Amino acid sequence: MRQVRTLGLLGTGVIGGGWAARALHFGVDVLAADVKPEMEAWIRGAVANAEGALSRLTFAPLPPKGKLSFTTDLEQMARSVDFIQENIPEQLELKQRILAQVSRQAPRDVVIASSTSGLMPTDLQRDMRFPERLLVAHPFNPVYLLPLVELVGGKATSTEAIEAARRFYTYIGMHALNVRREVPGHLTDRLQEALWREILHLVNDGVATTGELDDSIVYGPGLRWAGMGTNLIYHLAGGETGMRHMLRQFGPCLKWPWTRLEAPELTEQLIERMVEGTQQQAGGRSIRELERLRDDYLVAIQQVLRQFNLGAGATLRGLEERLYEASAAAARGTLAAAGAGEGAAAPLRLIETVVRPEWVDYNGHMTDSRYLQVFGDATDALLRYAGVDDAYRRSGRALYTVETHVTHQAEARALEPIYVLSRVLEVDDKRVQLFHTLHRGRDGVQMAAAEQLYLHVTTTAGKASAMDGGVRSRLAALAAAQARLPLPPEAGRLAGKAAR
Ligand SMILES: NC(=O)c1ccc[n+]([C@@H]2O[C@H](COP(=O)([O-])OP(=O)(O)OC[C@H]3O[C@@H](n4cnc5c(N)ncnc54)[C@H](O)[C@@H]3O)[C@@H](O)[C@H]2O)c1
């Protein structure tokens, strides 16, 4: 199957817009196709809306954004993309007809995935050409922030198509959950529906309002669910003997049972109660306002979970590792040539980025902490080249920052292209001294300089230690190659260095 450079979207409503925002953000071009020409303006608006929260999800270096194009010609889209995500309305016959039509145009090695919330892939692939490349890839709203995507194969689906889909979704920061067997509603919507059915019963019976029922989740189980699911949580609730005790204690209630299997009749009265209840909860806030609030806390929760390497936070860590590695890989050729003494007179251009709007403070200039972040990214690329990568850190060794001296010289404004030049000033067994300058992309003007001292540490013992011989020799080769460059005027200001 193909490497995905251009994602084709079939249907550009709520879900199509979410896919577009996510793919574009991580550097994939998008060709969006919808039967309604007015959806072009809609999808561009949806992408712009998503960007605020998405851009705060990670500060790892991102590739240049993808390009968004729009067409009403579904077949032309199918002929020109590497992967197709279908997001048209949830009607089996419509999906079957459009998928069959598109499959006659898309080359055989183009995976076609359906966002369907509950239809079965075997039914969807029935009339398709090359049905083995069809699978269900069910995302969650907002697609640009929630990492879960359920992958479900039908009778004809090949493992190759599922694997190619998994690779693509992981690349754009998602957690692909393989559903072993196709069932209506897949996994998550079955669970969500069970909860919703009980909500409808409780409202219908006048037991609780929509607000009270939401409180019953938000203040309790909802907080637990973000990090551990129901099963692991119940295992903890059973004390020392865990799940076995839990089942013994609560097993009998499952026979009563507390809950209903059929949803209640959707009478006008029930619909009124649900609508009035949720309007009261919204308290006059518009859908857009509530979406912004939801997006902001979804970003914050994922960042907290990242600290624990748990659930969606673990997915975010994996994504960041890939982004740092990609940025280091882009710089590796330059570093290797410099280490071998070729083109040694120049400092190394390792980071190219733009000042993101959220990096700017109330003065309209890049805020202090972002300078450290950009210099830190350049250090990361340089050290990864030298061999200090994730595996090295997992072996219990790392380089800790001992001191940083930043000189600010000119302001950087939002969306301004910038780049960093780096060099190794000195290295010994335990220490390495780096020097970076930050430049404005349009005229090369130097905006800041940073001199940094790092100490090699064995993390388990919390003690300074000698770095790996290979790491040291790669850093030393760079230092030697750059030694002929004049010492920058901003260098030599580290207090720690002077004291030695
Ligand atoms: N909304 C959700 O929360 C959610 C979550 C996960 C999955 N899904 C699934 O995603 C799919 C789309 O849902 P949505 O909420 O984005 O719907 P939507 O109504 O917002 O968007 C559907 C889009 O498809 C377009 N369309 C209709 N017929 C078409 C055709 N023949 N060719 C091309 N485009 C066509 C419409 O113009 C519209 O823009 C459904 O299968 C749904 O089950 C929805």
Side-chain angles (χ1 to χ4, degrees):
M1 303 322 249
R2 299 181 177 197
Q3 201 194 336
V4 186
R5 294 209 168 77
T6 306
L7 170 68
L9 295 176
L10 198 50
T12 63
V14 175
I15 295 303
W19 279 117
R22 181 178 274 281
L24 293 166
H25 189 72
F26 293 110
V28 176
D29 290 340
V30 171
L31 175 52
D34 200 290
V35 281
K36 293 189 191 147
E38 64 269 27
M39 291 312 284
E40 172 162 13
W42 194 91
I43 196 171
R44 289 191 188 280
V47 167
N49 245 327
E51 196 46 39
L54 242 183
S55 62
R56 287 191 298 277
L57 185 62
T58 173
F59 296 124
L62 291 168
K65 272 200 194 349
K67 210 166 67 323
L68 174 64
S69 330
F70 181 88
T71 178
T72 49
D73 184 344
L74 310 187
E75 298 195 350
Q76 183 243 322
M77 179 278 286
R79 285 192 295 272
S80 22
V81 299
D82 304 309
F83 191 109
I84 295 174
Q85 185 79 36
E86 170 273 307
N87 327 279
I88 63 175
E90 188 79 345
Q91 297 156 23
L92 180 61
E93 290 80 38
L94 174 70
K95 285 202 197 263
Q96 278 172 329
R97 181 162 54 78
I98 300 296
L99 286 169
Q101 178 192 350
V102 160
S103 71
R104 285 193 287 275
Q105 303 299 321
R108 187 174 193 163
D109 58 353
V110 170
V111 172
I112 303 182
S114 170
S115 296
T116 176
S117 299
L119 300 173
M120 311 248 267
T122 298
D123 296 330
L124 294 175
Q125 65 199 167
R126 194 189 64 188
D127 304 326
M128 281 177 63
R129 186 158 177 254
F130 310 128
E132 67 279 0
R133 43 47 187 283
L134 180 283
L135 71 145
V136 164
H138 175 228
F140 294 81
N141 192 33
V143 181
Y144 52 89
L145 287 182
L146 293 187
L148 182 61
V149 56
E150 293 177 300
L151 303 190
V152 198
K155 287 209 173 74
T157 308
S158 68
T159 47
E160 205 192 347
I162 296 203
E163 261 323 294
R166 170 193 293 282
R167 272 199 305 279
F168 170 58
Y169 297 123
T170 306
Y171 182 83
I172 57 173
M174 300 183 88
H175 177 81
L177 177 63
N178 241 350
V179 179
R180 294 159 190 270
R181 191 147 54 89
E182 54 181 332
V183 286
H186 325 311
L187 301 182
T188 313
D189 277 355
R190 231 171 118 165
L191 299 180
Q192 294 201 118
E193 193 190 80
L195 193 60
W196 203 40
R197 197 176 54 223
E198 293 311 317
I199 287 173
L200 291 170
H201 272 299
L202 289 164
V203 172
N204 198 39
D205 297 347
V207 177
T209 64
T210 59
E212 287 161 354
L213 289 163
D214 280 355
D215 285 354
S216 80
I217 297 295
V218 165
Y219 290 92
L223 284 175
R224 301 190 298 212
W225 281 339
M228 297 180 185
T230 299
N231 296 310
L232 194 54
I233 286 289
Y234 280 2
H235 178 61
L236 297 185
E240 280 307 305
T241 44
M243 180 55 90
R244 192 170 291 284
H245 175 75
M246 191 68 188
L247 285 170
R248 245 188 239 126
Q249 188 178 358
F250 291 103
C253 346
L254 296 174
K255 295 245 188 254
W256 301 342
W258 283 343
T259 53
R260 312 280 185 89
L261 290 174
E262 294 270 330
E265 190 65 34
L266 277 184
T267 60
E268 279 310 311
Q269 190 192 30
L270 175 53
I271 293 172
E272 258 330 287
R273 281 187 191 171
M274 293 297 295
V275 171
E276 259 178 39
T278 41
Q279 264 168 3
Q280 238 174 43
Q281 286 178 263
R285 291 167 296 180
S286 68
I287 297 280
R288 274 274 176 267
E289 259 176 279
L290 289 168
E291 274 176 355
R292 266 196 299 276
L293 178 63
R294 175 202 63 191
D295 287 6
D296 286 347
Y297 79 70
L298 284 176
V299 166
I301 286 175
Q302 290 179 73
Q303 282 168 353
V304 169
L305 289 173
R306 177 179 49 186
Q307 295 170 29
F308 299 94
N309 202 18
L310 204 58
T315 308
L316 184 54
R317 267 204 196 185
L319 168 71
E320 292 184 339
E321 184 52 32
R322 178 184 75 67
L323 290 169
Y324 281 116
E325 191 44 49
S327 122
R332 209 161 275 148
T334 320
L335 282 158
E342 302 156 21
L348 300 155
R349 189 163 168 150
L350 300 179
I351 294 288
E352 305 258 359
T353 185
V354 294
V355 178
R356 297 203 218 156
E358 68 280 4
W359 293 0
V360 162
D361 61 17
Y362 52 89
N363 289 323
H365 305 144
M366 187 157 97
T367 204
D368 288 9
S369 60
R370 300 301 172 197
Y371 285 84
L372 282 177
Q373 176 192 315
V374 174
F375 289 131
D377 287 348
T379 296
D380 190 271
L382 201 146
L383 291 180
R384 272 170 195 261
Y385 157 77
V388 185
D389 54 12
D390 209 34
Y392 192 86
R393 283 188 292 268
R394 275 199 304 272
S395 75
R397 296 168 298 170
L399 280 146
Y400 283 6
T401 317
V402 178
E403 201 178 336
T404 297
H405 191 284
V406 179
T407 313
H408 294 270
Q409 292 148 323
E411 290 100 19
R413 295 185 173 278
L415 299 178
E416 186 121 59
I418 52 176
Y419 62 89
V420 178
L421 299 180
S422 304
R423 57 187 284 198
V424 181
L425 291 183
E426 251 183 73
V427 60
D428 65 23
D429 263 2
K430 296 181 183 165
R431 268 170 288 256
V432 58
Q433 190 185 345
L434 304 180
F435 183 80
H436 306 289
T437 49
L438 175 71
H439 299 258
R440 204 153 62 193
R442 75 185 134 94
D443 52 13
V445 162
Q446 184 173 318
M447 297 190 296
E451 190 180 19
Q452 297 181 297
L453 188 64
Y454 290 88
L455 183 66
H456 189 271
V457 172
T458 301
T459 46
T460 40
K463 284 210 172 105
S465 60
M467 63 184 86
D468 172 86
V471 170
R472 183 183 169 175
S473 70
R474 267 173 241 129
L475 290 171
L478 287 173
Q482 295 175 325
R484 278 176 284 135
L485 293 168
L487 199 66
E490 303 88 351
R493 299 183 185 185
L494 294 177
K497 277 282 292 176
R500 273 196 296 140

